[in-house]
Amino acid sequence: MKSIMLVLNSMRRWIGWYASLAGVTITNIASGAQFEEAKVSAVVHDVKLLRGQVVLRPAAVNDEIREDTAVRTGLESRGELTFPDLTLARLGANTIFSFNQKAREVNLINGAILLRVPKNSGGATITTDAVTAGIVGTTVMMEYHPRGIAKFIVLEGVARLYLKKRLGESILVHAGEMMIIRWGATELSNPVAVDISEIMRTSLLITGFGPLPSAPLIAAAETHQIERESQGQLVETNLVIYGSGTLVTLADETDQRFAVLSNAKFGKPETITAPSPFLINSKTQINTDPTITNGNITASGKIYRGPADDGPMSQYLFGSTSPFDSALKLNRFFKDPANLPVAAFKFQNLALLGNPTITVGQNGVTKLGLIGVNGITSGAPGGSLTFKRLDLLFLATKAGSINLTDDLSFQNLSTLGVYARGAGSNLTLASPISGVTRLVLAAEDAVRIADTAANLTVFSHLVVDAGGDLSAGGPNGIGAFTVQNRGRTIAGNATLQVSAANLVANSFEASIDNTGGGTIGGNATIDVAVAGNAAITSDATFQINGSDAAASAAININGGNYAAGRQFFGFIDGNGVFATNNASIRADLVKIGVFGNNGTLRIGGGSISANSLLHLYAPGSNGTIDFVSNVTLSTSNAIPAIVANTVTIENGVVVTVDANADGAREADVFTNNPNYSGSGGNETTTGTFAGTGANTQPLKGASPPPFVLRRGSSNAFTLGTTVARSPKAGSLPSPGSMRPASDPHTRHRNSSANRPTFCVVDTSQLQSVLDNAAPATNGKLHISSTKADRKTPVRTPAGSIPRRKNIARSSDPKGPSPVLALNAR
């Protein structure tokens, strides 16, 4: 039986993403000399050296790279590293790469690479998550996506793949063969063959550099493949993969029916006008191919592939880009390949009444957009909406409000975005949300969060953006926005952003909890921007706990007037920066402190006013309070306390003190380095205290007032309020399969936009596709567009031909195997 050659044409940038592959490790078979430092042997465009998450500098040819340094490539960029044993690694665009000397281990953190390991070098290891493959005397290419797919191709030599945690599950991959492994696979299918000639002719990891040392061995494998084709052991097909990923395109229109069906999946979605509202409930079936069915009503959507193919998302969904779209960075979000492709449905009006059944289509799309042109509402019977099998749900209107009632709750979604677009459009949220990794809530006018939904807790990323007013928690509740990472790990950044024209709440808290052994690979950041007034009846709390287990920590209070009836509390328990930027703060008690050895409190303009207590603290061994713009510190019945190892008033800056406690009082400044003029300063800057002034005392050996205590006019210490509420208790749903964002990938190039396409998630699906193959007049095998029984004849240009039955998929490694011809630019 003849095997089949799959012609996968033009894999442009299939080696170039910023992502961590969900499942492959390539390990060494033989032992040998350790990797020593590598040298950068080629740089194309943007290539940088990293240490941890910190960019050290742009890479240059002949830079030495050691195991504590990673290499990152940017968009449309490439790099090459050469090791002393002549092992060679080429990095595609948007890739992060590092290595371990002793284990001869290469870490493909994100993206894709070409790795050439010469014979007698001791082998090498490419590490990801779920598969291992031995490499010695071999040249391979690998692409890696988080919780998605891994593609592994051998250009010369042989490798054996092992599936982790599945004892005995392995397979040999020979020269000219490819494996696709999906996330969570429990078995390995047979490899398919790929056209080595096309890869060598078009891949930028080949053509974008000098000749490979293993080029003669690859040429021999290519010749052997050509010989097999001439002998009838391999047959060319009309299947193409353009670019990265596993979106397979029919290179010609042999079957016009499939061309029509496939092309119908792309383009801008048409509005589903009836019924209005369209009901989504527990009986609704959503297939990401994409179709939606409820009862006897079936409607179609479209697949958004990204801006390169379909234009900006705002234009695609709404027909225009509004200023609020731009402020929300909507198009940037849907430019990130980690958030693509999206199955999009557009309704005149939409009502969410229950949890639909989700089927991931052959295209493999796991992201869903539901658009209500005029509005989105919810109601009974409701229940928990999980949208199981999806990793992104985007609810939006074109010009209308969204009202999500407490009949519903949203649970265990990796990414949830809710956007009420259009002038005067409001988002009213009473639906509890839990177990979500990334959450975005936005409205062009007001965002109103009821008590039932006001405890917003996510695992890595929370954005609440109101063009108008933001109200959180009702008149007696608490608006608590939390990134909860207690005892967990976030590979990237932990981010909490709140923006509004005005903010209203009884109590309000924005916090990142990284305690209990939690780690954050990137930065922990809280950004709050209120253009007008933040009116908090009781307490306003902004805090990061566990900051030293993050790459950096920062809290930024930007603009606006922040008035808390009881307490304004700002706190970072370790190193970090707390900054106020032209913000006016007023409360009975104001306490802002950064307590790490290198903590910084930066005051940038505005005013800070308190009745009973005003404490500004950075007491660590290198702690700093830095006044960078003119500011007024005022109290009505307390002596302000400014406590830091270094207190700096920048040149030309004036800190005006207006303190009263049974009469006018100076502020007490406890510092070892008073960088200002007058008031006991060391005259190193021209900055000054004014108004009632300041009394400077050495911090070393002094006893400044404790941060949790209150001091009155008699200098007697009395108990004030507690530092802060303890982090909210209660169990959180397990993150399970939730993942952070980030697995950019690039879809097929524009030239395939008008051709039939489908998506495969592993090699076995490619094998199944081949069962629909039949010979045409040009000698190639053509893939049928429709799902038919094997016994059904296939109509081709050569006439009606009986369907093939037993496409060879032998487990014998010497047996014939399907072939993919990859044109990888």
Side-chain angles (χ1 to χ4, degrees):
M1 182 64 65
K2 294 180 181 179
S3 295
I4 297 171
M5 174 181 286
L6 291 168
V7 182
L8 285 147
N9 201 347
S10 185
M11 259 191 5
R12 188 168 75 129
R13 287 195 217 114
W14 92 249
I15 309 276
W17 309 332
Y18 189 94
S20 57
L21 186 125
V24 180
T25 303
I26 300 177
T27 59
N28 57 303
I29 293 177
S31 62
Q34 297 178 6
F35 278 2
E36 298 175 14
E37 69 270 12
K39 281 193 174 183
V40 177
S41 47
V43 172
V44 180
H45 299 316
D46 180 23
V47 182
K48 290 185 171 64
L49 307 183
L50 310 178
R51 183 163 295 149
Q53 298 292 321
V54 178
V55 176
L56 297 179
R57 66 179 188 281
V61 173
N62 292 324
D63 274 348
E64 291 186 353
I65 310 298
R66 296 184 177 275
E67 64 176 350
D68 61 345
T69 304
V71 181
R72 183 182 72 191
T73 60
L75 185 68
E76 301 290 342
S77 302
R78 302 183 300 282
E80 182 184 81
L81 305 180
T82 302
F83 295 82
D85 65 357
L86 301 184
T87 292
L88 183 144
R90 291 176 176 177
L91 285 62
N94 300 321
T95 295
I96 299 183
F97 169 100
S98 65
F99 65 92
N100 181 293
Q101 297 178 15
K102 294 182 180 179
R104 294 186 60 82
E105 182 179 84
V106 167
N107 301 311
L108 178 57
I109 300 169
N110 289 305
I113 63 172
L114 179 149
L115 186 68
R116 183 257 177 175
V117 182
K119 292 182 179 179
N120 302 319
S121 65
T125 300
I126 303 178
T127 63
T128 57
D129 279 344
V131 180
T132 66
I135 298 180
V136 176
T138 309
T139 304
V140 301
M141 302 171 87
M142 172 167 277
E143 175 186 309
Y144 190 12
H145 299 279
R147 296 185 181 272
I149 58 96
K151 283 197 307 197
F152 177 65
I153 296 174
V154 178
L155 294 179
E156 57 90 10
V158 65
R160 179 173 286 275
L161 284 176
Y162 297 86
L163 196 61
K164 282 186 174 178
K165 299 180 182 179
R166 302 292 296 183
L167 185 63
E169 187 67 23
S170 68
I171 193 167
L172 282 175
V173 185
H174 295 82
E177 292 183 340
M178 177 178 77
M179 286 292 296
I180 299 175
I181 308 99
R182 78 174 90 188
W183 173 261
T186 58
E187 62 182 6
L188 293 171
S189 56
N190 291 322
V192 295
V194 295
D195 192 335
I196 299 174
S197 299
E198 287 293 297
I199 297 175
M200 298 302 292
R201 185 177 65 85
T202 60
S203 171
L204 282 177
L205 291 182
I206 304 295
T207 63
F209 298 89
L212 278 168
S214 56
L217 298 174
I218 298 174
E222 179 180 345
T223 299
H224 179 65
Q225 196 173 65
I226 293 172
E227 290 174 353
R228 292 184 65 196
E229 183 179 3
S230 66
Q231 295 168 4
Q233 297 179 19
L234 298 174
V235 181
E236 187 177 357
T237 73
N238 61 328
L239 296 184
V240 180
I241 291 180
Y242 289 96
S244 52
T246 58
L247 197 63
V248 181
T249 299
L250 273 66
D252 50 35
E253 286 71 37
T254 300
D255 190 325
Q256 292 298 323
R257 295 169 300 165
F258 185 64
V260 171
L261 288 172
S262 178
N263 289 336
K265 296 180 182 180
F266 305 113
K268 292 185 178 181
E270 296 180 0
T271 302
I272 301 166
T273 57
S276 182
F278 192 101
L279 305 182
I280 292 181
N281 54 35
S282 60
K283 296 181 180 180
T284 304
Q285 304 279 333
I286 299 177
N287 189 309
T288 62
D289 253 353
T291 59
I292 184 168
T293 301
N294 197 354
N296 59 357
I297 300 172
T298 297
S300 298
K302 300 290 185 180
I303 295 176
Y304 177 74
R305 295 162 290 183
D309 293 312
D310 298 314
M313 180 60 104
S314 59
Q315 295 279 348
Y316 181 81
L317 292 178
F318 312 128
S320 63
T321 301
S322 71
F324 199 77
D325 294 336
S326 300
L328 190 60
K329 300 177 181 177
L330 177 73
N331 292 329
R332 179 187 297 183
F333 182 85
F334 284 109
K335 184 179 181 180
D336 184 348
N339 303 321
L340 298 171
V342 180
F345 297 88
K346 194 172 182 178
F347 312 92
Q348 197 68 47
N349 289 281
L350 175 64
L352 300 175
L353 307 180
N355 192 41
T357 298
I358 304 296
T359 300
V360 176
Q362 286 188 341
N363 49 50
V365 175
T366 57
K367 297 163 180 63
L368 176 66
L370 300 175
I371 312 303
V373 173
N374 296 332
I376 298 176
T377 58
S378 67
S384 298
L385 272 60
T386 62
F387 287 83
K388 188 177 180 181
R389 298 183 180 87
L390 297 180
D391 52 37
L392 184 151
L393 174 64
F394 180 54
L395 304 174
T397 57
K398 178 180 179 181
S401 294
I402 298 176
N403 184 10
L404 301 175
T405 62
D406 58 7
D407 301 285
L408 301 177
S409 65
F410 293 88
Q411 295 183 2
N412 302 338
L413 284 157
S414 179
T415 299
L416 173 62
V418 185
Y419 177 27
R421 182 182 183 272
S425 296
N426 303 318
L427 168 58
T428 302
L429 178 68
S431 306
I433 297 173
S434 61
V436 171
T437 300
R438 298 189 300 170
L439 175 64
V440 178
L441 303 175
E444 199 154 341
D445 198 348
V447 174
R448 301 164 181 154
I449 303 175
D451 283 343
T452 52
N455 186 355
L456 293 175
T457 300
V458 304
F459 292 124
S460 73
H461 184 83
L462 173 58
V463 173
V464 180
D465 195 339
D469 294 347
L470 166 62
S471 59
N476 300 309
I478 300 173
F481 299 173
T482 305
V483 174
Q484 179 58 262
N485 195 49
R486 188 185 308 136
R488 298 177 63 250
T489 297
I490 297 174
N493 299 324
T495 304
L496 198 163
Q497 298 175 355
V498 179
S499 300
N502 298 288
L503 169 63
V504 178
N506 176 53
S507 288
F508 182 80
E509 178 176 342
S511 64
I512 296 175
D513 182 0
N514 193 42
T515 59
T519 59
I520 299 172
N523 304 322
T525 306
I526 297 175
D527 284 313
V528 180
V530 177
N533 299 312
I536 313 298
T537 304
S538 184
D539 293 342
T541 301
F542 308 91
Q543 62 180 337
I544 297 176
N545 289 289
S547 67
D548 285 347
S552 69
I555 298 176
N556 301 298
I557 308 297
N558 302 300
N561 301 303
Y562 297 80
R566 182 170 175 268
Q567 175 179 249
F568 182 99
F569 180 74
F571 180 74
I572 299 177
D573 66 346
N575 294 322
V577 177
F578 192 109
T580 66
N581 304 302
N582 295 313
S584 295
I585 297 169
R586 185 174 72 255
D588 180 42
L589 310 168
V590 176
K591 296 185 291 185
I592 306 174
V594 185
F595 283 83
N597 288 335
N598 297 296
T600 297
L601 173 55
R602 184 174 297 124
I603 309 297
S607 63
I608 301 176
S609 176
N611 295 328
S612 303
L613 183 146
L614 197 166
H615 282 180
L616 304 178
Y617 276 52
S621 58
N622 294 302
T624 299
I625 296 178
D626 192 5
F627 294 95
V628 298
S629 294
N630 295 341
V631 65
T632 298
L633 307 179
S634 61
T635 62
S636 60
N637 189 29
I639 299 174
I642 302 170
V643 180
N645 180 63
T646 299
V647 175
T648 298
I649 305 176
E650 300 292 343
N651 288 325
V653 172
V654 177
V655 177
T656 301
V657 179
D658 182 14
N660 288 276
D662 293 334
R665 298 282 180 168
E666 298 174 317
D668 277 345
V669 180
F670 296 86
T671 182
N672 297 321
N673 300 291
N675 297 331
Y676 44 84
S677 295
S679 304
N682 58 21
E683 311 293 327
T684 55
T685 75
T686 61
T688 60
F689 285 101
T692 57
N695 175 34
T696 300
Q697 307 165 57
L699 176 60
K700 185 175 182 181
S703 298
F707 189 68
V708 295
L709 298 184
R710 165 184 170 182
R711 186 169 58 155
S713 59
S714 64
N715 285 331
F717 294 115
T718 58
L719 285 175
T721 61
T722 56
V723 172
R725 293 192 301 276
S726 60
K728 287 175 286 300
S731 60
L732 284 171
S734 168
S737 63
M738 301 173 188
R739 61 187 172 120
S742 68
D743 41 342
H745 59 283
T746 304
R747 285 288 160 195
H748 59 283
R749 64 181 183 179
N750 292 339
S751 60
S752 67
N754 295 320
R755 294 176 177 172
T757 58
F758 56 95
C759 189
V760 296
V761 299
D762 60 14
T763 315
S764 63
Q765 285 196 0
L766 277 177
Q767 299 282 12
S768 298
V769 169
L770 296 176
D771 287 345
N772 273 337
T777 54
N778 61 1
K780 295 185 179 182
L781 284 174
H782 289 267
I783 308 304
S784 170
S785 64
T786 59
K787 183 177 181 181
D789 185 85
R790 283 186 173 188
K791 296 180 180 179
T792 304
V794 177
R795 177 66 60 182
T796 76
S800 181
I801 300 175
R803 184 165 303 284
R804 292 179 175 270
K805 293 184 178 180
N806 296 313
I807 301 299
R809 291 196 296 246
S810 171
S811 59
D812 180 2
K814 296 182 180 179
S817 57
V819 175
L820 297 164
L822 297 175
N823 177 339
R825 294 191 305 185

